[in-house]
Each structure stands twice: as C-alpha cells, then as structure tokens.
Amino acid sequence: MILRLLITAILCCFTLIASYSQGIRGRITNEKGEAIPFANVYVAQLSTGTTSNIEGNYELKLPEGSWEVLFQYLGYQSQNKIIIIDQSFQEINIQLLTRQYRIPEIKITASGENPAYYIMRRAIAMAPYYRNQVSHYSCKVYLKGSGVMEKIPSLLKKQMKKSGIKKDEPVVIETLSNIDFELPDKLSQRVLAMRSSGKQNNTSPMSYITTSLYNADKYGVVSPVDRNALKVYNFFLEGVFEDQGRTINKIRVMPKIDGNDVFSGYIYIADLFWNIHSADLTMQMPMVRARVHQMYGEVNKNTWMPVSFDFDMDLSGLGLKMKFKYVASLSDYKTTLNPALDHSFLEKQKNLQLAEQMAAEKQEVQLQRQAQTKAQQRINALLEKKQLSNRETIQLNRLVEKEAKKTLPPELLEIQSNIQVSRKQENNDSAFWATLRPIPLTGKESVSFAKKDSFLLLSATPRYKDSIRDLRQKFKVEHLVTGKRYNYSVDSISLMRHLTIPPLSGPSFLSFNSVDGLRIELPFAYTRSDSSGHALRLTPKLAYAFARQKVDASFTYRQRLNGMTSAWIGGSIGTTTEDFNRDYGLSSLANDVYTLWREENYKRFYRQDFVELNTSRDLANGLNFDATLGYSDNSRLANHSSYSIIDRPNREIQPNIPESNIRQDWQLDNHQSLISRLVLEYTPRHRYRVINYTKVYAQSKYPTFTLGYNRAWANVLGSDTRFDQIELGLKHSFSFHISDQLSWQINAGKFINNDKLYFDNFRHFNTQATNFLFSRYDNSFRLLPFYRYSTPEQYLEAHTQWQSRRLLLKLLPLIKNSSVTEKLFVNYLTTPGLQHYVETGYGIDNVFLLLNIEAVAGFDNGRFTSSAIKISLNLDGMKEAER
C-alpha cells in the first residue's frame, strides 16, 4: 500500500511539473535560415531543458518568472537570453551564429609536439576524478528514436512486416523516465511513459544514458580520455573558443590504427578544469556507422553532466539499409558530490595556472602538505608541472583513480539495477503525450503515431484479440513440418509458457554417422517461468536410426524451485546413441560432413539406456553444489553403414572402435554402471543481478574453483563398474590494456582406483583434429587424434589464450578497418601415456565476420611433432543446439 501511494505521489508530482501551460517554443536556425537539429535549450537555474527536433523546432514548459535560457550546439556560438515567462507560451526563434575558432598563442617545444597533448594529458589524468565526482544523481530523461528502413532484403520482408516495419515508413519510439544512480553501480529506472509507432514498446534508455566517455572501456571502446588513449590516438589542437566564461579547446581525435573499438572526430575540453565540455565522435563498425554528439551542462558549481545527446546510425549490408536517429534530453538534475573525495583538485588546477596567484598558492600548498598523504602530495606535485610526459600522465591517472576508489562505498554483491514500468503508461494516446513530450514531433513522426493509434483501436476489439490468440496458440497440421513455438504466456514477466515443435528443416533434424546411418531427431520442448523465480523445462526427444532400424526416445525434466538459491531438481530417462567422448566430442555436423564427403568417420559410439537424477543449488553466494546419480546399461555398437557421397579409392569407413594406446578390449564390452557425481564450484565475491526474483551471476573478476568427485558403485543394481575419480579445476577470464582479453583454465585429476573402468568413463579431452570445423576451436587440442590419449589414470591439462584487436595485422592498410581479432594460445597436457605435450599457435578470428584461421604447432616433451592450418566457422550457436 505504501509503495502504491509513493508511486502515485511521484506520478502526481511529475504531472504537475509537466502541466505548465506556459513556456517558450520556436525554431533554432543558422545564418542561412537552415534548421539546427538537436540543439540544446537549457535553464541552469531549474536544471531543466530540452532539445530541438530534426526540423529545428523546440518547446520548453517553464514556470512563471524570469529565467536565463541557454541555446547551444556544437559548431555554433552559444546564446543566452533572459526571458520573462507569464501565463502563456512565447514564440522565441533563435539564430545561432557559426562559431569562430581562434588559434591560441602556443609555445613550440623542441620535440615539435602538438599542444593538444598538453591538454589531453591533463584530461586523461583527471578522468578518474570526474568519473567519481558525483556519488548520487537523479534526472528525468526523454528519449526519442526515429528509424527508416530504406532497403529490406526479400528474406526479411515478412518478418519486418510482422514487427510493423515497412520500407520508407518511419518507426518512432519515445520513453520518459526517471533515472537514479548511486556509486559504485546502483542504477534504477522508473519508466513514466513509453510509446512506439511500431508493435514493440522496448524503448529503455538506460544503456544510452549511462554510457559515458569516462567509462567507455566497459563497452569495449577506447575513450579519448582513457588511460590508454595516448597509445591509441593522435591529438591535434584545432582551435579555442569562449563559452559561458570558460576557455574550451577543440581537439581533433584520430586513431593511430582504425578499428571497431576507437572513435574519430572531435572532443572539446574545458581549460584549467580539463573536463569534457562536449563531443562529436564517430565509430565505424562492420556494416554500421554511428556518429554521436553529446553536450554537457553545469548542473551545479563545477559539476558538469550530460544534458543532451543525439546520434545517427547508418546500417548498410547484406541487402539491408537503415538509418536511425536517437535524441535525448536530460533535465531536472539533482546531484550529490562525493563527500569523501577531495574536490579541491578543481580549484587547485585553476589557481595553479594563474600566474598572479602562483606565489600565494605555493605558500598555501606547503602548509597543506603536512597533513596530506604521500599519494596526495605526489598528485599535487604532478599537477603543478607545466609539462607532463606520457608516463607521468598515466601515473597521475592511476593516483587520482586510487584516491577516488578510496571514497567509494563497499562494493555490494548485488548489482542493483532495475526497471520499473507503470503499466498505465505503456499505451498512451497523442493527447497524453502532448503534455509530456519536451521535443516536438516532426510531421512524418506525427503521421507514424497516428497510424499506431488507429492500430491500437483495432487491436482492442475482441475479434482482433481472438485472432492474435489463435495465431499464437492454435495447432495446425502443417506445424508438424514447419515447426511452431506456441505462446501461452500471460505476459513476459508474471508468467511465460511456450511449447515448441521442431521444424523438419532444423539443423539437428537430419544427421548421418556410420553406426546409425541416416538419423532423424526431433527435440520437443515445453518451458514455463514466472516472476517468483520458479521455472519448469520438459524436453521429450524422439529419434530414428534408419540403418539400425532403431527408435531412440528420451525425456528430460528440470524444475527450478528457488531462483535466489538457484535450486534445481531434475531427471532424465531414455535410450540413445552416445559418443564415447560425450562432453567434448566432435560436433555432429562436422562428423556428418567428413563422413559423407571425405569418407572419414571420426566419432565412435555406444548404445546407452539410462535413468538419471540430479539436484543443484547455491550453498552460499558463489558456491554451487551439484549432485547426480545415474544408472545406465551400455552396449557395444558396430557400423551399419559404409555410405559416402564420394567414394575415395584409398579410403574406407573405419570400424566403430576408438583408437587408444592403453585401452584394453574388455573395456568396450557391454556393462552396467551406477555412478554418482558431486561437484562444488566456487567463485569468490561473485556479483549478481536479481531479475524476476532470480539470481543471475555476472562475469567475475575472480577465478572460479572447481572440485569434482565421481564414484562408480559396483554390485549395486547389477552395476559391474568400479572406480573413484577426483578432479580440481581453476579458470578465469579478464580484460586488460586497450582491448586485450586473457583467459586460462587448469584441470588436474586422478583415478584413485580404476578396478573396473570402462572406456566410456575414461578421462577424455577436448581434441579437435579435423582441419575444418563449424565452430571455434577454443580450449581444445588441435593436433591430438580423437580418443587416442584418453586416460584411466592421472592427468594435468591447461589452456591459455590471449586475444587482442591490436597485434600485427591491424598495422596493414587493408586490414586495419576490418573486424578481425588476433590471438595467441598455448595448450598443455600430460598423462602417463603423453608426457608434457604442448601446442602453441596464432589465429585470426572474424575474417569476413565468419571465418577463423589458425596456425598450430605441436611439441611432445620439447620435440616438434606436427603442425597444421585450421579453419572454423562462427556457428557456435548451432553447436550448442546440437548438445
């Protein structure tokens, strides 16, 4: 009840603010009378403002009184006007003059370095301060996006039409939200109203509003004020101008090496304070070009926050061409300075630059240093230097960041980011939005919403609702061929229910191997989840092996009892053709291709009739326990087909017997197994989000530890398998430097006893010996034969991979603009049958967005043994579906 009253009060307060029936409106143009789209209109006394639309029109509701209104946009001289607001709207048309830049008086250094580096070194050094300057802020955000599909490929026309998207017809989305942010990363969004001229209302602005040039590295982009920016960019000072009493430096940003992780364009830095004033930057990605304009406003003394931004996105490729424009207006800022941070940095920066105050400042600094830490003394000493080297810039950046981090509250395990949507505001008519919208619609956008309003009237009729329900839920015979995902959901939050019939054209429907011959497989699925953290998954699967004339069937049940503890129970029962290397084996698609086209069958199979029970849950945050008990009747299988599309004279289909250096013949015999598996997995301080009362773990900056124990129980339920196995694991992945990522994992294990150990329970490794795959080779042994070095004894394996967007190829003119990434990797394995085996290699990923190419060399105990060129496709999703 209290929460409902609070929400009502917030909405009422917002309505009062938005209901001013007076203010200013007009058009913003340049000297030629041309519209200036997305110009910023801001009233600092009220911390509120708006943005002009693409036609230059603006409207800003204001209370009665006298207000100083700032009109500004990049490339034009800012203009301040004192406007007295009465009880009506005033027509205020503004003409902004093109900004004239002056070249400052500069000293030419012996090195000939551009003076932009002096400015950017200080901006980079101060970036951690501005990233943590405000401990809490709230604001109101209006976001509008307008997109037009200029070209739609034939294959997508039907899907686009279902989504309400047509060629040359704009789709407009609007969202009005309250954003609340608190350090270090607590973010909440209350959506007050949202609207779309299309069929979807997915218009959350959070990912745009919370993206800042001060933390762009979180999104894989190197900011011009990033610590590594001096390695990535060239900077040039192109002019200086005065704006609101401050000197602003226009800095041209040019990447040394083009790529998907860099900007080009201009950044504007305020002199003396070295904060970002505005930015006009472009990013070039595969098939996408995005240009971003961002303006900052002084919402409090020396506190500059984004007040408007717009970006253009052009997508062109694969027969698709789209233009999209986003514009956002941020207003009603309320900010709290970080109380534990030393904000005297700003005044010291300014005062230390003024020659007439130097003597007094030095005396004051000497008195203050007695109470300062060594780090603070070093910061001030660096700030006083007239010139900073690259090394000193990075050192100052780290010192400021270290001091700033001391002020942050303890990092909570829960990443508190949530979106609350007022259901009443999801579908609002034009009259409702006319009272709220701070940026006027264009003529085309108004027409687009008029069509949507007509559609909403139609969709509210019982006949239309019945037709939609039938479309989502009604069974038709052709669905058995085409497949269908039936939707029985109440909505996307409180209750979701889906039943899936697989299409006969699906990637896993047909396969071929030498044991089953042609095999059809139909995986059906029923899923159910709700907002209380409960979930249910039922997965029946039917298959038929034509060569063996055998029907396989299985049924899997999984139920989540508690989303916050990730408590699952489940079980499965059935019969199937199983790969001996069931955890890491070659994908079915790759085996199909090699068998049919090259007469090379790599996978080896056995028949398994099984029943299995499983439970898992979090014992504590980051500590998961998983227990499985399974019984299986395992039978030997022989080849039933030698068919291949191309009959090669020197090749033939090999028997269904895995090659092994140490396997004995009896270890392939028919047998029964009762095996228990216990696994503990722990990640220290594993952070998480809560979504629909379900804990969802985020990527951790700490490694994950794993302890596993497997035991086969002999003479229980007819089981004749007996062994004990223990395994320790450690894995981690993290990013560093500019755009580098290092991942590694180590697994060590031993069969404590292997009295009666069959080959299907050997420790198999991820070996991918084929030269071509339909998925990536990561964390695999590229040159080791399948099954040969599987072991019933002790083992140690390790994999490490360094992936970077900037190694060697990015220096080449034809490659530097591409999306390719490079990697170096090393794999290690030692067992009693293979001592100190090492693979090392170099790879190029995402060639034409599809291919991965590697050169690999293998060494056995320090002696070179083999090498190969490996090619794979980026079809990892298909591999997951097969498993």
Side-chain angles (χ1 to χ4, degrees):
M1 184 65 179
I2 295 175
L3 179 60
R4 186 177 299 172
L5 289 173
L6 180 60
I7 293 174
T8 303
I10 291 173
L11 291 174
C12 288
C13 291
F14 177 76
T15 303
L16 287 173
I17 293 173
S19 64
Y20 296 137
S21 59
Q22 69 277 335
I24 57 175
R25 61 165 63 104
R27 192 164 184 257
I28 303 175
T29 60
N30 59 20
E31 301 101 314
K32 298 178 181 179
E34 299 168 337
I36 300 179
F38 314 130
N40 183 46
V41 183
Y42 190 71
V43 181
Q45 299 139 291
L46 299 173
S47 295
T48 192
T50 186
T51 303
S52 64
N53 65 15
I54 197 170
E55 297 171 345
N57 297 315
Y58 76 93
E59 180 177 296
L60 178 61
K61 297 178 176 68
L62 293 171
E64 293 184 51
S66 178
W67 309 108
E68 182 177 359
V69 184
L70 172 68
F71 299 87
Q72 60 179 346
Y73 193 64
L74 289 172
Y76 294 90
Q77 296 179 29
S78 299
Q79 193 174 135
N80 284 286
K81 277 189 174 295
I82 302 296
I83 301 175
I84 298 176
I85 303 298
D86 52 23
Q87 296 183 1
S88 62
F89 268 94
Q90 298 184 40
E91 186 84 11
I92 306 292
N93 294 317
I94 298 295
Q95 186 180 85
L96 296 182
L97 303 178
T98 301
R99 186 177 295 285
Q100 301 298 320
Y101 298 96
R102 61 180 173 85
I103 303 299
E105 295 181 5
I106 57 175
K107 294 181 180 180
I108 304 300
T109 61
S111 64
E113 184 180 70
N114 192 282
Y117 285 90
Y118 171 86
I119 299 163
M120 291 307 301
R121 287 192 181 102
R122 279 158 174 75
I124 291 167
M126 291 299 293
Y129 167 77
Y130 288 110
R131 188 162 52 242
N132 298 281
Q133 180 188 23
V134 174
S135 61
H136 175 265
Y137 74 82
S138 62
C139 66
K140 183 174 68 181
V141 179
Y142 170 76
L143 177 74
K144 181 177 72 173
S146 178
V148 177
M149 299 295 299
E150 296 182 344
K151 187 184 294 185
I152 302 176
S154 301
L155 292 175
L156 295 179
K157 282 184 179 179
K158 187 176 180 181
Q159 185 63 37
M160 291 287 185
K161 188 175 181 180
K162 287 182 179 180
S163 302
I165 300 173
K166 297 180 181 179
K167 184 175 177 292
D168 297 328
E169 289 191 11
V171 175
V172 188
I173 59 176
E174 293 183 290
T175 299
L176 197 60
S177 302
N178 278 341
I179 299 291
D180 194 272
F181 177 82
E182 186 176 348
L183 285 176
D185 54 15
K186 183 179 179 181
L187 177 69
S188 63
Q189 173 195 6
R190 184 180 300 280
V191 178
L192 302 171
M194 63 183 185
R195 193 180 188 218
S196 170
S197 64
K199 294 185 178 180
Q200 301 296 326
N201 272 329
N202 183 18
T203 58
S204 169
M206 277 205 305
S207 59
Y208 304 105
I209 303 309
T210 59
T211 301
S212 166
L213 288 174
Y214 288 117
N215 62 4
D217 60 304
K218 293 182 179 180
Y219 305 93
V221 185
V222 183
S223 168
V225 294
D226 186 87
R227 182 184 300 167
N228 295 295
L230 293 168
K231 300 176 184 177
V232 177
Y233 296 107
N234 290 317
F235 298 107
F236 302 92
L237 178 62
E238 293 206 349
V240 174
F241 62 91
E242 301 298 321
D243 187 56
Q244 302 174 71
R246 296 194 181 195
T247 300
I248 309 300
N249 301 282
K250 180 183 180 182
I251 309 292
R252 187 180 181 188
V253 179
M254 293 183 63
K256 295 180 179 179
I257 300 175
D258 291 338
N260 302 330
D261 56 349
V262 292
F263 294 106
S264 62
Y266 295 92
I267 188 169
Y268 298 80
I269 303 295
D271 211 25
L272 306 182
F273 293 90
W274 316 120
N275 64 289
I276 300 173
H277 168 273
S278 51
D280 178 3
L281 298 169
T282 299
M283 280 191 66
Q284 189 72 47
M285 296 169 283
M287 300 188 297
V288 178
R289 183 180 183 273
R291 183 177 181 182
V292 181
H293 300 92
Q294 191 170 39
M295 298 289 299
Y296 288 70
E298 191 173 19
V299 297
N300 276 316
K301 183 181 179 182
N302 295 334
T303 305
W304 291 66
M305 302 289 287
V307 292
S308 71
F309 81 86
D310 62 88
F311 73 83
D312 298 342
M313 184 178 70
D314 293 345
L315 185 150
S316 181
L318 303 177
L320 184 71
K321 190 173 183 181
M322 179 188 76
K323 288 189 176 182
F324 211 94
K325 293 181 179 292
Y326 263 107
V327 57
S329 175
L330 295 84
S331 59
D332 293 353
Y333 266 108
K334 294 179 178 60
T335 61
T336 302
L337 286 177
N338 189 339
L341 197 59
D342 180 11
H343 299 286
S344 64
F345 279 140
L346 298 181
E347 291 302 323
K348 288 176 184 176
Q349 285 262 81
K350 181 178 179 180
N351 293 336
L352 287 171
Q353 305 297 319
L354 303 177
E356 62 271 17
Q357 298 181 7
M358 284 294 293
E361 287 295 331
K362 286 184 178 180
Q363 183 178 2
E364 182 181 351
V365 169
Q366 291 294 329
L367 293 173
Q368 290 177 349
R369 281 179 176 168
Q370 298 177 4
Q372 290 178 339
T373 65
K374 290 183 178 180
Q376 290 171 331
Q377 292 177 21
R378 180 59 178 158
I379 289 171
N380 286 325
L382 288 170
L383 288 174
E384 291 176 19
K385 296 192 69 170
K386 292 184 178 180
Q387 294 288 343
L388 290 175
S389 65
N390 288 1
R391 183 177 180 183
E392 288 171 333
T393 300
I394 294 173
Q395 183 183 12
L396 180 56
N397 177 284
R398 286 175 174 165
L399 287 169
V400 174
E401 185 173 35
K402 186 176 180 181
E403 289 296 299
K405 283 184 176 180
K406 290 180 182 178
T407 71
L408 297 178
E411 188 177 72
L412 299 176
L413 290 178
E414 181 181 350
I415 303 172
Q416 298 181 355
S417 177
N418 61 81
I419 302 176
Q420 297 181 23
V421 179
S422 172
R423 291 289 177 189
K424 294 180 181 179
Q425 310 304 332
E426 285 188 2
N427 294 310
N428 341 100
D429 59 20
S430 299
F432 175 84
W433 268 96
T435 65
L436 303 180
R437 182 185 297 112
I439 302 175
L441 294 177
T442 65
K444 289 184 178 180
E445 290 170 347
S446 297
V447 171
S448 179
F449 274 121
K451 291 180 178 180
K452 174 63 178 288
D453 290 340
S454 299
F455 169 76
L456 290 177
L457 290 174
L458 174 64
S459 63
T461 62
R463 182 177 178 182
Y464 184 87
K465 290 181 178 179
D466 290 343
S467 67
I468 292 298
R469 185 188 63 240
D470 289 345
L471 183 66
R472 294 166 58 187
Q473 301 177 4
K474 189 175 181 179
F475 171 77
K476 295 181 179 180
V477 176
E478 60 260 33
H479 294 165
L480 296 175
V481 177
T482 61
K484 175 70 175 178
R485 187 170 186 255
Y486 301 96
N487 188 344
Y488 303 98
S489 304
V490 174
D491 54 45
S492 61
I493 297 176
S494 59
L495 179 62
M496 288 195 299
R497 291 184 299 183
H498 297 98
L499 173 64
T500 303
I501 295 178
L504 300 187
S505 58
S508 61
F509 171 63
L510 284 178
S511 63
F512 182 89
N513 63 72
S514 54
V515 171
D516 288 337
L518 183 64
R519 179 183 177 90
I520 355 181
E521 193 166 270
L522 293 172
F524 297 84
Y526 173 80
T527 60
R528 182 184 188 277
S529 63
D530 57 37
S531 58
S532 63
H534 299 146
L536 175 67
R537 299 174 186 169
L538 304 176
T539 314
K541 184 185 292 186
L542 294 175
Y544 184 74
F546 282 87
R548 287 198 300 124
Q549 299 181 354
K550 172 65 179 175
V551 175
D552 287 341
S554 65
F555 179 81
T556 301
Y557 153 81
R558 290 272 289 165
Q559 184 173 9
R560 185 170 62 206
L561 305 177
N562 189 313
M564 294 303 296
T565 61
S566 194
W568 288 86
I569 59 171
S572 58
I573 186 171
T575 179
T576 188
T577 303
E578 186 66 84
D579 184 357
F580 281 102
N581 190 354
R582 54 183 172 268
D583 293 326
Y584 307 108
L586 181 68
S587 70
S588 296
L589 181 58
N591 189 72
D592 293 351
V593 171
Y594 273 90
T595 302
L596 289 171
W597 292 95
R598 294 184 57 85
E599 210 168 351
E600 296 174 350
N601 58 316
Y602 290 109
K603 292 171 76 73
R604 302 292 184 262
F605 301 94
Y606 67 99
R607 175 183 168 82
Q608 184 182 64
D609 302 325
F610 63 92
V611 59
E612 185 176 272
L613 301 174
N614 173 266
T615 184
S616 64
R617 65 162 292 151
D618 285 352
L619 302 179
N621 186 71
L623 178 63
N624 181 265
F625 172 73
D626 187 289
T628 302
L629 180 65
Y631 178 84
S632 62
D633 186 352
N634 310 284
S635 307
R636 193 166 181 169
L637 291 174
N639 286 341
H640 287 72
S641 173
S642 59
Y643 176 79
S644 65
I645 294 174
I646 300 177
D647 187 10
R648 299 178 181 269
N650 299 325
R651 293 180 189 168
E652 60 181 9
I653 296 295
Q654 297 299 304
N656 186 45
I657 300 174
E659 296 183 14
S660 174
N661 293 344
I662 56 176
R663 173 190 53 77
Q664 299 180 43
D665 290 340
W666 65 266
Q667 290 175 318
L668 295 177
D669 289 345
N670 298 349
H671 60 282
Q672 291 76 44
S673 300
L674 179 65
I675 300 175
S676 60
R677 298 181 176 88
L678 306 177
V679 178
L680 276 175
E681 186 175 85
Y682 177 60
T683 305
R685 292 197 56 78
H686 206 167
R687 304 194 72 198
Y688 61 90
R689 293 179 173 85
V690 175
I691 302 174
N692 292 340
Y693 206 67
T694 300
K695 181 187 289 188
V696 180
Y697 284 112
Q699 184 174 1
S700 177
K701 60 184 178 182
Y702 297 99
T704 298
F705 302 83
T706 305
L707 172 63
Y709 175 68
N710 298 335
R711 179 180 178 85
W713 302 83
N715 303 319
V716 179
L717 299 178
S719 171
D720 51 7
T721 306
R722 183 170 58 253
F723 68 85
D724 292 272
Q725 178 195 10
I726 190 168
E727 180 172 290
L728 296 173
L730 186 62
K731 63 181 179 181
H732 192 33
S733 177
F734 59 92
S735 300
F736 64 102
H737 288 167
I738 298 170
S739 55
D740 298 349
Q741 185 177 58
L742 180 67
S743 59
W744 53 269
Q745 68 177 50
I746 302 173
N747 293 297
K750 180 180 176 61
F751 287 87
I752 301 172
N753 77 73
N754 54 8
D755 295 346
K756 202 67 181 293
L757 179 66
Y758 290 88
F759 190 71
D760 55 295
N761 287 306
F762 275 36
R763 179 54 162 90
H764 302 282
F765 303 102
N766 189 1
T767 54
Q768 303 291 342
T770 59
N771 289 332
F772 183 85
L773 277 183
F774 291 89
S775 54
R776 294 165 60 99
Y777 287 86
D778 293 350
N779 294 331
S780 68
F781 296 100
R782 277 74 157 174
L783 302 175
L784 289 182
F786 297 101
Y787 309 107
R788 183 177 298 175
Y789 295 105
S790 300
T791 183
E793 301 180 66
Q794 67 270 17
Y795 52 89
L796 172 65
E797 71 167 319
H799 305 273
T800 183
Q801 178 174 287
W802 173 32
Q803 190 160 13
S804 175
R805 298 179 186 176
R806 303 173 174 278
L807 277 178
L808 302 174
L809 289 181
K810 286 293 185 177
L811 301 175
L812 301 178
L814 296 178
I815 303 295
K816 65 180 184 179
N817 292 326
S818 71
S819 60
V820 302
T821 59
E822 300 170 82
K823 64 185 177 185
L824 298 172
F825 56 89
V826 178
N827 304 310
Y828 172 84
L829 178 64
T830 186
T831 69
L834 185 67
Q835 292 289 322
H836 305 299
Y837 174 77
V838 175
E839 282 182 359
T840 183
Y842 166 81
I844 307 169
D845 288 353
N846 301 318
V847 179
F848 306 119
L849 302 177
L850 185 65
L851 291 175
N852 310 309
I853 304 172
E854 296 178 351
V856 194
F859 301 86
D860 189 352
N861 213 6
R863 181 176 56 86
F864 172 78
T865 56
S866 60
S867 63
I869 300 295
K870 301 282 184 172
I871 298 176
S872 62
L873 298 178
N874 289 324
L875 301 180
D876 299 286
M878 183 179 294
K879 183 175 181 180
E880 292 299 321
E882 291 170 353
R883 293 190 177 183

